[in-house]
Amino acid sequence: MLKSRYLKLALDAWQTARQDKFYPSVRDMSPAHMVPFIEHVAMLRREADGAYRISLMGTALVELLGADVTGKDASAPHEEASRDDLRQFHDFAFQTGCLCHSLREMHYPSGSRGSLEQLLLPLTHPDGTHDRFMIVADASDEELSVGEKRDSNVFFGKLHHRMLYDAGTLQPLSTELNRPDPAMGGHGPLVESIAPQPDSVVGHQG
C-alpha cells in the first residue's frame, strides 16, 4: 500500500491522464498535471544503447539526497551489490510496462539513514513507444538511524520492499523480482480500493 501522499497524488494523476488508454503519454502527463508532486518526480529513461539513465530530478529529491544525479546511469547511486538486481528489474519493467512500488534504505550525506518510498509509473509517446518511467519518491516517516558517512556517490542501500503491478488492473504480478514486506502491504493490491485477486500474469508489452 502507498504511504506517501505524493505517491498517492501521482497515481491518481496518472490514472486520470490515461483515461481509456493503457498508459498516459508524456503529453498527457505534462508539468501542469504534476504540480502537486512535481518536486518529488524523477524520470528514468532507456537509451538507444540499452542503458538506463535519470533524465530529470525534482528539487525536493535533490535537496533530500544532497546531490543531483540527472544524466547519470540509474544504477550509479546504488551500492554495487544491488546493481545486478536493479538491472534485471529495469529490464523486466521496460519489457512489461508494469508499475512498481518500493521502499529502499537511503543514505543521507550526514551519515544518517532512512527509507525512500518510490512509485514507478510507465509513460509512452503519442505513437505508443515506451522509453521512460516517471519515478515519484518521498522519504518515509521511519525514524532515522546514524551510520557511517556514506560514499559520496552512493545514496541507496538495502531494498526493504518491492512489488510489481499490472498497469491495467493494478494487481500484483507473479514474478521472482517481488520482495514483499508485510508492513508495506505484502502481496496486496497497490491501493486499498482494489480488492485482492489471484496474482496477475506478466504484464503487457510496452
Side-chain angles (χ1 to χ4, degrees):
M1 297 291 182
L2 301 179
K3 306 292 185 183
S4 167
R5 68 184 183 93
Y6 295 111
L7 274 62
K8 293 175 182 177
L9 287 168
L11 180 60
D12 286 345
W14 183 86
Q15 290 183 284
T16 299
R18 73 173 174 172
Q19 299 178 7
D20 59 349
K21 296 176 290 187
F22 199 71
Y23 307 119
S25 72
V26 291
R27 195 175 294 169
D28 298 324
M29 287 295 293
S30 68
H33 294 92
M34 295 188 271
V35 170
F37 55 89
I38 194 167
E39 293 182 350
H40 291 261
V41 169
M43 286 289 178
L44 173 67
R45 294 192 59 173
R46 179 174 56 189
E47 305 293 350
D49 61 1
Y52 300 108
R53 297 192 185 281
I54 302 298
S55 62
L56 176 147
M57 194 169 176
T59 54
L61 300 182
V62 173
E63 182 177 349
L64 190 65
L65 298 178
D68 187 348
V69 297
T70 301
K72 293 188 177 182
D73 187 286
S75 66
H78 293 259
E79 293 179 339
E80 188 171 355
S82 67
R83 291 176 186 173
D84 286 345
D85 172 77
L86 192 67
R87 175 72 192 202
Q88 291 178 40
F89 161 64
H90 286 155
D91 287 344
F92 183 90
F94 275 91
Q95 179 186 1
T96 62
C98 62
L99 280 70
C100 178
H101 178 223
S102 65
L103 189 73
R104 186 179 290 274
E105 182 181 74
M106 180 177 61
H107 301 179
Y108 289 94
S110 64
S112 296
R113 299 189 181 192
S115 295
L116 190 72
E117 185 182 8
Q118 298 181 85
L119 179 65
L120 271 71
L121 298 163
L123 300 175
T124 67
H125 292 285
D127 65 3
T129 57
H130 167 56
D131 71 348
R132 72 192 66 195
F133 276 83
M134 178 173 69
I135 305 172
V136 187
D138 188 23
S140 76
D141 294 330
E142 186 175 299
E143 185 177 348
L144 301 180
S145 61
V146 178
E148 297 179 2
K149 193 169 183 181
R150 75 178 189 203
D151 180 307
S152 61
N153 296 314
V154 174
F155 306 103
F156 305 113
K158 181 180 178 182
L159 179 68
H160 295 304
H161 170 81
R162 181 172 66 204
M163 284 295 296
L164 282 65
Y165 297 88
D166 182 273
T169 65
L170 302 189
Q171 293 289 345
L173 296 178
S174 180
T175 167
E176 294 180 355
L177 291 169
N178 286 334
R179 305 284 189 273
D181 179 348
M184 295 296 291
H187 285 92
L190 187 58
V191 291
E192 294 180 4
S193 60
I194 299 176
Q197 297 176 9
D199 285 353
S200 299
V201 297
V202 171
H204 302 257
Q205 295 291 328

